[in-house]
Amino acid sequence: MPDFTATKSRFHLPRGVTYLDGNSLGPLPLAAKTRMAQVMQEEWGEMLITGWNKAGWMAQPGQMGDRIGRLIGAEPGHVMLGDTLSIKVYQALAAALALRPDRRVILSDTGNFPTDLYMAEGLIETLGKTHELRCVPPEEVEQAITEEVAVLLLTEVDYRTGRRHDMPRLTQKAHEVGALAIWDLAHSAGALPVDVSGGKADFAVGCTYKFLNGGPGAPAFIYVAPRQAEATAPALSGWLGHAAPFAFEQTYRAAPGVARMRVGTPPVLAMASLEAALDVWDGVEVAEVYARAQELSERFIKGIEATCPMLTLASPRDPDQRGSQVSFHFEHGYEAMQACIAHGVIGDFRAPDIMRFGITPLYLDEADIDRAIAVVSEVMTDDLWDDDAYRHRSAVT
Ligand SMILES: *Cc1c(COP(=O)(O)O)cnc(C)c1O
């Protein structure tokens, strides 16, 4: 087991707050502050433009891609950092559709995160509206994988309920009918063991500001399976994905492998905090983090169900069917979550009625879980949420 007391001590956790929202935005790794200051002063400040070479900024998207690659079971040299997850979804989908030019169906599920579906819609428009985005309920995905399907576009762990798809099985099913599989690992990377190589994913994408704690707006990542890497068209053919960016050629030539998925200038400052966040993962196995998350989740569910009969579990009851979050349905979930936050327990709300709690063992222990149970119970049993102060909806819920 990793020393979770030691990993917890590497984060800034505000006094008086129990943070169960690391599935949406991980907390600040203490070393990120020093790393950021160092990049600002010693690199940007002193090196100016020479930092691209001297400080190695230009190579960082691939190097940090490999560090994330270890956490998702990718072969070295096949993960690239950059842009936002929405953009990486678009790139992966465009590349996959181009590899299946005779097929028209993109298969996803109705629980998928909206941006993945929106990006698919936009791409379909761009491609001349000849493709169809077919969304079926999550439990019906397997039967819906037919020979019409060009690409299976799924998020492994459902952002609302935490329900987990069987990635290897669905991927195999897709391959059996000649389709490709793209996996969105937004709620998987840093939460549970993923094996994109063994599971034969064709593409995988994810973000680094959730369970990886890279900071708000930290860059996304994309994995392209080695067997597809030389055949993919990157769709967004930016200069840094060119085979020779500094030759400034008139026309685009794709860089080898996943490097072609780079688009433009990498976000050096955002990568500075991500780099410090990834240091926390050194010597930590995701499987052990997941096992610990399952223990803490069971404790949380048991405590909440014992005291809050008005909340119904929205997550699968079987811990192996969940990611690292626990969700409950409650009709007044928005107000209830606002009240929990006001009382020092931060989770979040997802429409229409989901109260969502992220279980992140790198910086949460039994005492935190017990405190969260006590606060949520008090908010619920004393109806503390039933107050006008908690009804106002901010832009971000
Ligand atoms: C969080 C999340 C996103 C966010 O996309 P951004 O472009 O980083 O804002 C996309 N897809 C899924 C499945 C997510 O959970």
Side-chain angles (χ1 to χ4, degrees):
M1 268 287 161
D3 181 351
F4 288 116
T5 313
T7 57
K8 185 173 185 177
S9 72
R10 297 179 73 166
F11 289 91
H12 173 76
L13 299 163
R15 206 174 285 280
V17 170
T18 304
Y19 194 59
L20 276 70
D21 212 356
N23 53 313
S24 225
L25 176 68
L28 171 68
L30 291 168
K33 290 197 285 188
T34 23
R35 178 71 192 133
M36 184 69 90
Q38 187 190 16
V39 170
M40 292 234 180
Q41 286 156 24
E42 295 165 27
E43 298 185 5
W44 180 19
E46 293 301 319
M47 295 178 191
L48 297 164
I49 200 167
T50 66
W52 288 109
N53 293 318
K54 267 195 210 155
W57 296 337
M58 199 47 93
Q60 284 174 352
Q63 287 166 353
M64 279 190 237
D66 278 343
R67 295 182 75 185
I68 293 163
R70 178 182 77 83
L71 303 173
I72 61 165
E75 302 86 345
H78 291 275
V79 178
M80 188 55 65
L81 219 61
D83 313 298
T84 67
L85 176 49
S86 304
I87 287 175
K88 280 352 209 182
V89 166
Y90 186 92
Q91 271 189 303
L93 186 57
L97 289 176
L99 290 168
R100 289 293 176 273
D102 50 335
R103 296 192 181 196
R104 304 265 73 99
V105 174
I106 301 162
L107 180 64
S108 191
D109 73 53
T110 51
N112 204 347
F113 191 82
T115 204
D116 296 41
L117 304 176
Y118 301 162
M119 294 310 277
E121 280 182 42
L123 178 60
I124 289 171
E125 288 278 325
T126 304
L127 294 176
K129 304 189 198 184
T130 55
H131 290 84
E132 173 197 344
L133 174 61
R134 191 175 288 170
C135 290
V136 300
E139 55 283 2
E140 291 172 21
V141 167
E142 189 163 354
Q143 303 94 281
I145 302 174
T146 63
E147 291 191 352
E148 282 179 291
V149 175
V151 180
L152 184 63
L153 172 65
L154 292 177
T155 298
E156 186 188 19
V157 176
D158 186 293
Y159 75 104
R160 280 200 193 91
T161 63
R163 186 246 339 107
R164 190 179 170 186
H165 274 308
D166 186 335
M167 178 163 108
R169 199 178 77 220
L170 295 177
T171 303
Q172 189 189 347
K173 187 85 198 286
H175 289 168
E176 280 167 9
V177 300
L180 295 172
I182 301 173
W183 288 94
D184 187 329
L185 304 177
H187 293 274
S188 309
L192 47 94
V194 180
D195 184 4
V196 289
S197 169
K200 302 249 177 336
D202 296 290
F203 298 85
V205 292
C207 49
T208 61
Y209 52 80
K210 293 176 180 166
F211 291 92
L212 295 176
N213 315 307
F221 63 85
I222 184 166
Y223 162 81
V224 183
R227 64 185 176 282
Q228 313 289 7
E230 300 305 326
T232 48
L236 303 172
S237 41
W239 72 302
L240 289 183
H242 191 281
F246 287 87
F248 297 104
E249 292 169 12
Q250 188 79 43
T251 51
Y252 183 79
R253 276 192 300 129
V258 77
R260 71 188 58 184
M261 293 297 175
R262 292 178 72 146
V263 182
T265 303
V268 174
L269 298 181
M271 288 191 301
S273 62
L274 175 58
E275 192 179 22
L278 291 175
D279 288 345
V280 178
W281 289 95
D282 287 344
V284 172
E285 292 302 324
V286 192
E288 293 174 327
V289 173
Y290 183 52
R292 174 89 172 130
Q294 290 182 312
E295 274 172 31
L296 295 176
S297 300
E298 289 297 286
R299 187 182 185 97
F300 186 64
I301 292 172
K302 205 167 148 222
I304 294 294
E305 289 190 327
T307 52
C308 304
M310 64 297 275
L311 298 187
T312 42
L313 187 64
S315 302
R317 194 159 289 283
D318 175 357
D320 291 335
Q321 301 297 316
R322 292 194 300 262
S324 284
Q325 68 177 70
V326 172
S327 305
F328 293 93
H329 294 287
F330 179 58
E331 193 188 340
H332 305 284
Y334 181 81
E335 292 87 335
M337 187 53 80
Q338 291 307 305
C340 290
I341 295 170
H343 290 82
V345 172
I346 302 184
D348 59 21
F349 169 77
R350 286 294 174 263
D353 67 347
I354 297 268
M355 295 173 73
R356 186 173 74 158
F357 301 92
I359 310 292
T360 48
L362 285 186
Y363 49 86
L364 285 180
D365 54 29
E366 275 96 355
D368 296 314
I369 296 296
D370 291 349
R371 179 158 182 275
I373 294 167
V375 169
V376 175
S377 305
E378 193 196 345
V379 164
M380 298 312 303
T381 49
D382 296 348
D383 291 334
L384 297 183
W385 56 267
D386 194 6
D387 186 318
D388 280 344
Y390 303 131
R391 284 188 238 284
H392 170 73
R393 296 218 179 185
S394 305
V396 177
T397 63

